[in-house]
Amino acid sequence: LFGELAFARTLQEKMRPPKLPPLADLELATFIHTAGDICGDLYDYFLQSPRHLCCVMGNVAERGVPAALLMGRIGPLLHELLLSGLRPGKALESVNRILIPTGTDAPFMVSVLASVLDLDTGAFCWACAGQLPPFRIHGNTVRQLAWTGDIPLGIRPNEKYQEKNIQLAPGETLLFAGQRLLSQVGVEGSLYTEWRLRQFLQNRTEPLPELLRMLYGDIRATLGEAPQDDLTFFAIRWKRGTANPAKNEDKEEDGGDALSAASDLGQIQS
């Protein structure tokens, strides 16, 4: 058993995304809290092209070695499909079709969000497969982006995953979080709610590594203890033309630092 856990931990370490090259118009940071030996969350970010950033967040319903092995299969597959230029919705549909032949007998459900940010224009496209959409932070306004699909991968062979698009304004932040962010239960049944999260995120201008540390501190203070479940989140801030902000477009459409070195804050053990 010890050998299996060590193998799974090594696999997860290798799956962590590498640092991005310096990008003057993008800030990015990540935070991971692992409640057990192996985290059940999957995340990834990488450049699809020199000016297009792919972001992925996912979750396997269970923990342990089988969950790590399943993520070890899905993560690289989705990475390669997006890297090939496939749009988020089509990439999810392709992974879903591949999973179905073996996934029908598997005890795990896999929820995933795939997205692409155009670093030149701020255009952001995403698709959900049962995964929590990111939160959009602009001054005192905090909104969760729309759900585009609530069926996880591996359940329906011909499931279609709709895409949506928004236009970010310079300086806006997107917070990606694992499924368990809003289901954490602490001392005497205390909950970290969406209302609490929105209140915390209003008017936040701190550098993203500091912001994520503070968010974890707020979660821990609300629960009265360290979270008893896995907790993964990362944030991106598009900074292009911040000195001369463009008009903020809030409409969502259906559709087809100063350095961006990803600040991985590390694994925090309870």
Side-chain angles (χ1 to χ4, degrees):
L1 179 59
F2 177 79
E4 290 181 351
L5 289 175
F7 170 76
R9 282 196 295 268
T10 301
L11 178 62
Q12 284 199 325
E13 287 292 331
K14 289 184 177 180
M15 287 177 58
R16 287 193 181 184
K19 290 184 177 181
L20 297 176
L23 296 166
D25 43 17
L26 181 72
E27 184 181 358
L28 188 153
T30 70
F31 191 101
I32 307 168
H33 166 86
T34 303
D37 293 308
I38 302 171
C39 181
D41 292 326
L42 161 73
Y43 74 98
D44 193 10
Y45 45 78
F46 56 92
L47 290 174
Q48 185 187 56
S49 75
R51 301 300 298 166
H52 289 85
L53 176 72
C54 289
C55 296
V56 174
M57 177 61 76
N59 176 264
V60 178
E62 299 292 337
R63 300 195 199 103
V65 175
L69 293 175
L70 186 55
M71 286 192 296
R73 180 186 179 194
I74 294 172
L77 177 59
L78 186 54
H79 182 110
E80 291 302 319
L81 289 170
L82 290 169
L83 192 61
S84 73
L86 216 57
R87 293 179 62 87
K90 294 300 182 183
L92 292 179
E93 290 168 12
S94 295
V95 174
N96 186 56
R97 286 194 298 269
I98 292 170
L99 282 180
I100 286 295
T102 56
T104 51
D105 298 324
F108 304 127
M109 292 189 301
V110 183
S111 57
V112 184
L113 175 139
S115 61
V116 179
L117 171 64
D118 186 321
L119 295 173
D120 286 326
T121 68
F124 181 73
C125 175
W126 76 100
C128 306
Q131 171 65 33
L132 193 72
F135 287 85
R136 182 182 185 183
I137 308 158
H138 187 72
N140 64 356
T141 301
V142 179
R143 297 177 180 175
Q144 185 178 20
L145 298 187
W147 287 79
T148 67
D150 56 5
I151 304 299
L153 300 180
I155 295 180
R156 296 178 182 172
N158 298 314
E159 188 69 23
K160 299 297 183 182
Y161 292 102
Q162 181 187 10
E163 297 174 352
K164 282 190 174 292
N165 299 272
I166 57 170
Q167 176 66 48
L168 294 182
E172 280 196 285
T173 299
L174 293 175
L175 174 69
F176 299 77
Q179 290 291 83
R180 299 178 175 95
L181 173 62
L182 300 178
S183 61
Q184 300 285 338
V185 180
V187 176
E188 298 180 353
S190 55
L191 299 172
Y192 196 77
T193 63
E194 183 175 336
W195 179 87
R196 175 79 184 205
L197 176 64
R198 289 173 182 269
Q199 290 293 110
F200 172 81
L201 292 175
Q202 287 182 349
N203 297 310
R204 291 293 180 182
T205 59
E206 297 89 352
L208 292 185
E210 181 181 353
L211 174 62
L212 296 189
R213 288 191 199 96
M214 293 171 64
L215 174 57
Y216 177 76
D218 189 61
I219 294 170
R220 184 162 184 158
T222 301
L223 300 180
E225 60 182 357
Q228 298 301 301
D229 214 336
D230 298 333
L231 188 60
T232 302
F233 37 79
F234 70 89
I236 60 174
R237 181 175 289 154
W238 185 60
K239 302 166 69 174
R240 186 173 180 83
T242 305
N244 184 23
K247 181 179 179 181
N248 183 15
E249 297 290 344
D250 288 327
K251 181 180 178 181
E252 295 179 3
E253 300 176 355
D254 293 334
D257 133 33
L259 296 182
S260 168
S263 304
D264 192 340
L265 305 183
Q267 234 171 351
I268 301 177
Q269 299 292 339
S270 301

